[in-house]
Amino acid sequence: MGLPTLTTQIRSSVSIRAAREPAQPCRQSSVSVERCRPSPIPVNRTKIRQKAVRRDWKVRTADVASAAPTKSQPSKEDAIALLKIAAKEGGVPTTSVSEAMRVLEKAKIQPGAWKTVLGGQDSPGRSWRLVFTSGEQRAQKAAGGLAKGGGLYIPVTAVQRWDASKNEIQNGIYLGHVASITFRGPFDMDGKRLAFDFNKLRVKIGPLQKEFTLKPGDFGTKKEDARKGDGPFFLFSYVDDEICVARGRGGGLAMWARTPPAWNLQAGIV
């Protein structure tokens, strides 16, 4: 018998024996036990919780839609949890986001220190990124209404800043550090209602910037002969340190997510 053939038979017999023999337990030495112990599978508990929130919301809204008498409607806690997932990660269906905002609006939550939560106690206040909007009432009707999914995630960096110490609002669109356009003006908050107006416009391109004074009525600002209360406003239905939800004068619902200073710096928010 030649050497190659003998070697092949030896390998085959070893393989068959290994397949027939049961696996040997790990030796009890510390080194061997560590080598034989399987590696733990990492568990992302946050992802599991978020999937559970999405699933529960889907089940509850489906039950309500089918008018099942034994099922409860989504609670405000359900709505808040779902909206926070949408604010952080997106991916939540627009119909669910719209419905969750409506749940908070119907809950008629009493405002606490919402002005301070929105605008902080010190200048320059706090910044909030516009995450989602249902559009104005005319746009909602064209899209089939909120119940049929009228709404969209905002694809650009649109940031609102409220400074409670100065009663100042700033609303801007930013293209990183390349360019931005911002409107600035006074605001006043009474309960849930935040009335505001813009009197300054700033355009920035690279290192160059120019500020303009707006005349009454420019860019949708309050007209000079407008009656008190006729200007633009937000009617908030929910505010906490992470998200806020409000309906605008045009009838649309919107959600913002608070942005930390580090994010503002990276995104070119000034």
Side-chain angles (χ1 to χ4, degrees):
M1 179 181 295
L3 183 59
T5 304
L6 179 60
T7 303
T8 301
Q9 291 181 352
I10 292 174
R11 288 176 178 173
S12 299
S13 63
V14 170
S15 300
I16 293 172
R17 183 180 301 173
R20 290 177 178 175
E21 291 180 356
Q24 298 297 320
C26 295
R27 297 177 182 176
Q28 294 304 311
S29 68
S30 59
V31 176
S32 298
V33 170
E34 289 298 325
R35 288 178 178 175
C36 296
R37 182 178 299 161
S39 301
I41 300 175
V43 177
N44 191 327
R45 299 188 183 278
T46 301
K47 292 287 187 183
I48 293 175
R49 182 183 63 81
Q50 291 177 350
K51 287 182 179 179
V53 169
R54 287 189 177 98
R55 182 184 64 249
D56 292 345
W57 181 268
K58 187 175 181 181
V59 169
R60 288 179 182 272
T61 51
D63 290 335
V64 172
S66 63
T70 59
K71 302 295 183 178
S72 60
Q73 292 190 0
S75 67
K76 65 181 181 181
E77 290 77 16
D78 295 330
I80 292 167
L82 189 81
L83 291 177
K84 288 186 177 182
I85 294 173
K88 291 179 180 178
E89 298 186 358
V92 177
T94 58
T95 50
S96 298
V97 177
S98 298
E99 181 61 29
M101 292 194 297
R102 293 178 66 192
V103 167
L104 293 182
E105 194 173 40
K106 292 176 181 178
K108 299 186 183 302
I109 301 169
Q110 292 301 309
W114 283 5
K115 179 180 177 181
T116 303
V117 177
L118 288 170
Q121 296 180 334
D122 303 309
S123 193
R126 293 178 175 177
S127 298
W128 301 77
R129 176 178 59 89
L130 182 60
V131 176
F132 186 92
T133 179
S134 67
E136 296 187 358
Q137 288 180 340
R138 286 178 296 180
Q140 291 178 24
K141 291 179 180 179
L146 280 176
K148 295 184 179 180
L152 74 157
Y153 288 95
I154 304 303
V156 298
T157 304
V159 176
Q160 199 104 242
R161 178 178 61 81
W162 287 287
D163 186 343
S165 65
K166 292 183 177 181
N167 283 342
E168 183 180 83
I169 181 176
Q170 179 176 289
N171 189 8
I173 303 291
Y174 299 86
L175 300 176
H177 295 271
V178 177
S180 65
I181 179 170
T182 56
F183 295 87
R184 191 174 76 253
F187 81 84
D188 180 65
M189 191 165 188
D190 183 13
K192 297 182 177 183
R193 192 177 191 274
L194 188 150
F196 64 94
D197 199 16
F198 296 125
N199 53 28
K200 298 291 183 181
L201 166 65
R202 184 179 64 181
V203 179
K204 180 177 178 293
I205 301 177
L208 305 176
Q209 58 180 330
K210 179 71 174 179
E211 187 167 272
F212 305 90
T213 299
L214 297 175
K215 297 178 182 179
D218 287 347
F219 296 99
T221 58
K222 189 176 181 180
K223 296 181 180 180
E224 192 170 10
D225 59 348
R227 295 174 300 177
K228 184 178 180 181
D230 284 349
F233 66 87
F234 292 121
L235 190 62
F236 286 89
S237 54
Y238 183 77
V239 175
D240 70 14
D241 283 324
E242 296 179 56
I243 63 170
C244 60
V245 177
R247 186 179 290 277
R249 182 179 62 173
L253 276 169
M255 176 179 67
W256 294 263
R258 188 179 167 192
T259 61
W263 186 93
N264 293 339
L265 184 63
Q266 184 178 9
I269 311 300
V270 292

